[in-house]
């Protein structure tokens, strides 16, 4: 039997007590069992209380700077164990090294960023929000808004595709805010999350109750939430709906952050010739986004909008790039793209692809290509596929491409008539995490970006002058907001210090200027 | 038959087409029928589309300054018709002039405040959110967050107690943001809301579709909401739960703002003698909050915390004040407190009072006092009642006082042992809109205010130096946040320009510095 991963809750390691062997985590390339998880029989109420009472009080007693120092200490521990995380990612996520880096190094970079931001907040335990506002003609009775940490726990129900980054991009702002966290990683890839938490817990960095991890079923977790707790979920729209309609949210006003489905897009603006720098930048970025982590990124490009006259040229250039993608066992150095996470995800991708293809032509199909060092009857690998809606009329009539997120190496090329048409088609995604724009006219890029801003959490603009500097359509930078309206769930994460808002409560203090003066000194 | 109020939707006045006579609005003092409402048969889908498409596009084409000018024009119209609003309030809300002013003049003041704030935003159509952040060592590729108006409608489902203020405190920030509004006032007092909208619509100030009103049943309204719409609700926790679990919110990520029940509190800090200035300020404020609008304010003081040694003295002083409250027909100049809004509210208050009294002693009871110029079998009037938990041990064992909001002239006096005990008891409200603190030690007041900040949307501090300047525990100032966590619904309204956030979407623009430079000039 493989190792049964322990849960850390209530300040101690606890094995699940289920009658069976728990749930096995598999290698998606080799099909072998790696470890097992089980959350059966945990005293969740006691665990949440411990985090809320012990963990919360201890964290709130620290200043932002002190908490930031703990984040730095955790970062050092993670850096020291980085090789082990890559090994786990190879085995459990089936990703090539470059793709594991997006998750692991992305996590470390984000954690480090919040350590730096927190240090700059200094020796305070709350934040002022804006300036004092007079509540009369004389400045003697005024209003000062403050942000103080919520006295609850932060429950994270995370997705399988970012076991490392998904943990720390949420935990770093929460812990920095003074709010204890309880992480429930997706079962399929829970190993890396659990190991990172274990390493940090073993190093005895955070106060007891500050950091907990539950691996296995999420049953009963939401039931524990009280009015001052918060919950952050990344995953499917269906599960998001279950969380949003839970009594904790509906009746107890538990604050919820959702990041769900997203039909992200890339748009080549009009006026760029075939093989122009902007054209090449689009082709390169789309091919990369389709294949990084086998397209299993919530930010990956699913819809590619190009002027009708360039449809064939883009199709050809993209196909040529995609044809070079070797797929298979990530342990083989010639492999560029590893596996999907599971056989069920592989089946879902094939099903989604067939659904999309019902309204599109196939421009490039590597879905049946031979795998390197991998058995196609076992490995969860699939090559990239590019679809297309053929002409602008086809773009208008197709609806599936705007509604169906296929979570794999799949994108659809969509020709448009003019800029207004392109922007209208982009909007049919009903709210997305990110769109990227490609062009060389700064004014036109800025205008299109502004037009799409309200329906996207992020607009990424790639112009030739930043070809080498741009940070990537799909890479989530801690400086920028991550989230999106509508279908994307309506959530907000990261964005520098904005991330701390979710874990703080805003309050208006109306008082004499003499009383408010006491808020200016560290407390 | 009395007048059937018309609905304004789809850019035209439309009468409901129900088979019956609609729903009658009554005079809560005289019991007479005033007007009727009916929303039956309206084409809601067409009306919402009209607002979303026509109203939204027209508003977004204006700059903040231009929209602010429209708010100013609306304010002038309302000021010109102010007397009529007072007449409607007297008849339909049964409030004395001072209490009608809280609603009507509060509405005008808030509208004027947003006109001023909007003018200062200048000739722009979006707002920058923070500064640019580098996404690399050199400042060539950066992130700039922007706030742009959401392309949807704002649906307001409002409460009966503030037909004027409840309309404009929400509509002003929405319209200023460029978002069309559809108001569904509570039926019992819909008349004043409808009249104000009618006056502004007749004056032809806002573009078609910007301002709509639906009077009568709310059936079907939530079904109209699309991903970029928002809904703001003020009312009971039960209805709030229905709204939060509606598919529009759960599945379509419609943004929702809730202001629900709240057990607001007042705390006299330790160290103040009986009849000291702080003591007197508490007594005066509590008596006022209990009786203004017959206690029908979501911000009214329900729980009064005092040091155990002062329990009897506060009970006596408060009772003496309350005994002076003449209750009855607001048309009689000797009357200080008018009616509750309806017989059903009167029944609910009596029921709630009996429930609370099961765990408390009655310190002052005017609930059976004779009414001035009003028939007790018809008028919805009731005098104030003060309850008390007797001693600190009683304060610990009583739970109803922390859980049951009686929406009338009722409060409970709760003695505490020390500051920590007082703060813990306040927290048993599980999140409130506002708490007020009374004392003369600035440092102690600031410390207590900070401690309670995370569980309150507003902390109002009354010290002797601001006795004449303080704006009132229950008065909601547009400069300050209005809302509260947990039981209070978790919403945020007002707070100056913070109110605009609900109607804007935040987006991170990542681009070359040359592209971002175009955001610095008005668009």
């Amino acid at each position: 039997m493989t190792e049964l991963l322990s849960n850390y809750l209530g300040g101690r390691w606890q094995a699940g007590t289920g009658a069976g062997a728990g749930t096995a985590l598999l290698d998606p390339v080799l099909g072998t069992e790696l470890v097992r998880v089980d959350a059966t029989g945990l005293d969740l109420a006691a665990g949440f209380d411990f985090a809320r009472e012990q963990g919360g009080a201890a964290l709130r007693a620290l200043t932002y700077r002190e908490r930031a120092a703990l984040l730095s200490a955790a970062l050092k521990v993670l850096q020291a164990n980085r090789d082990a995380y890559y090994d786990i990612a190879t085995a459990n996520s089936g990703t090539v090294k470059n793709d594991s880096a997006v998750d692991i190094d992305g996590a470390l970079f984000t954690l480090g960023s919040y350590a730096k931001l927190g240090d700059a907040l200094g020796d305070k335990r709350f934040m002022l929000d804006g300036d004092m506002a007079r509540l009369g003609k004389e400045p003697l009775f005024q209003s000062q808004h403050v942000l103080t940490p919520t006295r609850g726990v932060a429950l994270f129900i995370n997705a399988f595709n970012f076991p490392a980054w998904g943990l720390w991009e949420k935990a770093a702002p929460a812990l920095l805010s003074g709010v204890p966290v309880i992480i429930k990683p997706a079962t399929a890839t829970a190993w890396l999350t659990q190991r990172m938490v274990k390493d940090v817990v073993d190093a005895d960095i955070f106060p007891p109750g500050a950091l907990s991890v539950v691996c296995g079923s999420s049953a009963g977790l939401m039931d524990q939430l009280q009015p001052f707790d918060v919950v952050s979920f990344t995953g499917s729209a269906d599960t998001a709906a279950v969380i949003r309609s839970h009594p904790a949210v509906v009746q107890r006003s538990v604050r919820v952050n959702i990041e769900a489905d997203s039909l992200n897009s890339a748009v080549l603006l009009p006026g760029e010739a075939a093989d122009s720098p902007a054209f090449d930048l689009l082709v390169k970025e789309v091919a990369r986004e389709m294949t990084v982590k086998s397209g299993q990124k919530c930010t990956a490009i699913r819809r590619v909008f190009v002027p009708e006259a360039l449809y064939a040229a883009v199709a050809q250039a993209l196909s040529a790039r995609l044809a070079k993608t070797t797929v298979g066992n990530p342990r083989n150095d010639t492999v560029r793209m590893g596996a999907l996470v599971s056989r069920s995800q592989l089946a879902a991708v094939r099903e989604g692809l067939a659904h999309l293809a019902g309204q599109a032509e196939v421009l490039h199909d590597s879905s049946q290509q031979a795998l390197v060092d991998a058995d196609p009857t076992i490995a969860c690998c699939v090559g990239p596929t590019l679809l297309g809606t053929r002409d602008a009329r086809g773009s208008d009539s197709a609806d599936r491409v705007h509604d169906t997120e296929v979570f794999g190496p799949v994108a659809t090329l969509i020709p448009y008539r003019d800029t207004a048409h392109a922007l209208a088609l982009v909007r049919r995604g009903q709210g997305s995490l990110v769109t990227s724009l490609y062009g060389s006219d700064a004014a036109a890029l800025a205008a299109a970006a502004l037009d799409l801003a309200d329906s996207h959490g992020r607009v990424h603009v790639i112009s030739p002058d930043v070809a080498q500097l741009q940070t990537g359509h799909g890479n989530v930078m801690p400086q920028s907001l991550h989230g999106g309206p509508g279908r994307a769930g309506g959530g907000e994460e990261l964005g520098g210090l904005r991330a701390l808002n979710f874990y703080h409560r805003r309050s208006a203090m109306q008082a004499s200027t003499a009383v408010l003066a006491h808020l200016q000194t560290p407390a």
Side-chain angles (χ1 to χ4, degrees), chain A:
Chain A
M1 291 258 275
T2 57
E3 182 192 351
L4 179 67
L5 297 183
S6 207
N7 305 287
Y8 192 69
L9 190 68
R12 61 195 174 89
W13 291 102
Q14 308 185 48
T17 57
T23 305
L25 275 59
L26 305 178
D27 183 314
V29 177
L30 308 178
T32 49
E33 180 175 316
L34 300 168
V35 291
R36 292 171 299 122
V37 296
D38 181 17
T40 313
L42 299 180
D43 186 344
L44 296 178
F48 274 66
D49 276 352
F50 183 83
R52 201 181 282 120
E53 305 299 329
Q54 309 286 317
L59 284 172
R60 289 197 306 276
L62 304 175
T63 67
Y64 293 105
R65 177 169 287 158
E66 289 168 334
R67 291 177 215 136
L70 300 188
L71 296 186
S72 291
L75 175 60
K76 276 193 191 130
V77 169
L78 298 176
Q79 280 165 336
N81 292 284
R82 191 165 159 271
D83 290 348
Y85 306 147
Y86 272 83
D87 290 344
I88 292 175
T90 304
N92 195 190
S93 292
T95 39
V96 298
K97 194 161 183 182
N98 278 345
D99 291 358
S100 300
V102 177
D103 185 31
I104 296 166
D105 290 350
L108 272 51
F109 178 71
T110 303
L111 181 56
S113 296
Y114 280 94
K116 220 174 278 178
L117 284 171
D119 188 65
L121 287 176
D123 287 317
K124 296 178 193 159
R125 292 182 182 83
F126 65 94
M127 295 187 284
L128 297 180
D129 176 47
D131 299 324
M132 285 194 280
R134 293 182 187 191
L135 296 171
K137 277 181 188 161
E138 301 301 318
L140 299 170
F141 189 74
Q142 305 199 68
S143 174
Q144 169 68 60
H145 288 77
V146 297
L147 293 162
T148 52
T150 190
R151 299 198 188 186
V153 300
L155 171 64
F156 301 148
I157 302 177
N158 279 4
F160 69 79
N161 55 337
F162 282 103
W165 177 82
L167 161 59
W168 293 109
E169 64 108 5
K170 294 182 183 179
L175 293 167
L176 180 56
S177 297
V179 176
V181 305
I182 298 173
I183 304 111
K184 175 13 209 139
T187 298
T189 59
W191 192 13
L192 179 50
T193 305
Q194 195 267 2
R195 176 65 65 89
M196 287 180 140
V197 171
K198 186 171 187 326
D199 289 343
V200 171
V201 166
D202 286 351
D204 202 16
I205 293 168
F206 294 103
L211 189 59
S212 306
V213 64
V214 175
C215 301
S217 164
S218 63
L221 292 174
M222 288 292 298
D223 300 332
Q224 300 305 325
L225 297 180
Q226 297 297 323
F228 296 92
D229 297 337
V230 304
V231 58
S232 186
F233 169 75
T234 304
S236 74
D238 289 345
T239 308
V242 171
I243 287 174
R244 272 226 186 83
S245 50
H246 189 279
V249 176
V250 166
Q251 292 167 16
R252 301 198 284 276
S253 301
V254 164
R255 208 182 251 182
V256 56
N257 191 81
I258 301 278
E259 199 233 284
D261 301 354
S262 180
L263 280 304
N264 311 296
S265 51
V267 186
L268 178 62
L269 290 195
E272 308 295 337
D275 301 320
S276 65
F279 178 102
D280 290 344
L281 286 166
L282 171 102
V283 169
K284 191 175 159 193
E285 195 73 11
V286 170
R288 184 164 63 187
E289 285 293 315
M290 286 178 69
T291 53
V292 168
K293 287 175 73 70
S294 299
Q296 294 178 120
K297 285 202 341 258
C298 48
T299 54
I301 296 169
R302 311 293 179 193
R303 303 179 294 153
V304 185
F305 298 92
V306 298
E308 202 165 13
L310 293 180
Y311 178 72
V314 173
Q316 194 177 16
L318 255 177
S319 298
R321 273 199 171 256
L322 294 173
K324 292 186 204 156
T325 310
T326 47
V327 183
N329 191 328
R331 294 164 187 88
N332 185 310
D333 284 345
T334 68
V335 166
R336 297 270 295 278
M337 192 168 95
L340 295 173
V341 74
S342 64
R343 294 298 289 189
S344 68
Q345 279 297 312
L346 180 63
V349 166
R350 289 193 169 134
E351 194 184 331
L353 196 46
H355 182 67
L356 290 185
Q359 292 185 339
E361 61 178 342
V362 177
L363 296 171
H364 175 83
D365 181 6
S366 302
S367 66
Q368 304 301 325
Q369 80 177 80
L371 305 183
V372 177
D373 270 0
D375 178 346
T377 65
I378 292 174
C380 312
C381 297
V382 62
T385 300
L386 180 68
L387 303 172
T389 59
R390 195 170 275 124
D391 54 29
R393 212 167 45 179
S395 304
D396 285 328
S397 59
D399 53 13
R400 295 179 185 174
V401 65
H402 305 295
D403 293 331
T404 306
E405 184 186 26
V406 179
F407 213 65
V410 179
T412 304
L413 190 61
I414 306 173
Y416 68 79
R417 280 184 293 274
D418 53 29
T419 302
H421 188 217
L423 300 180
L425 287 169
V426 170
R427 282 186 182 283
R428 286 177 64 182
Q430 294 281 301
S432 304
L433 295 172
V434 55
T435 184
S436 50
L437 307 178
Y438 305 76
S440 56
D441 177 341
L445 286 166
L450 263 181
D451 190 273
L452 292 175
D454 68 289
S455 59
H456 293 81
R458 181 162 59 91
V459 181
H460 185 76
V461 180
I462 302 184
S463 47
D465 56 325
V466 291
Q468 305 305 320
L469 299 167
Q470 66 98 3
T471 49
H473 163 108
N475 287 339
V476 175
M477 302 294 288
Q479 296 92 331
S480 295
L481 184 76
H482 175 57
R487 186 197 304 277
E492 290 196 346
E493 297 173 5
L494 299 174
L497 288 175
R498 291 171 188 84
L500 276 60
N501 289 343
F502 185 63
Y503 306 100
H504 283 72
R505 295 292 330 185
R506 181 179 279 122
S507 185
M509 291 203 184
Q510 299 182 160
S512 78
T513 304
V515 170
L516 294 178
H518 287 271
L519 303 182
Q520 305 292 334
T521 50

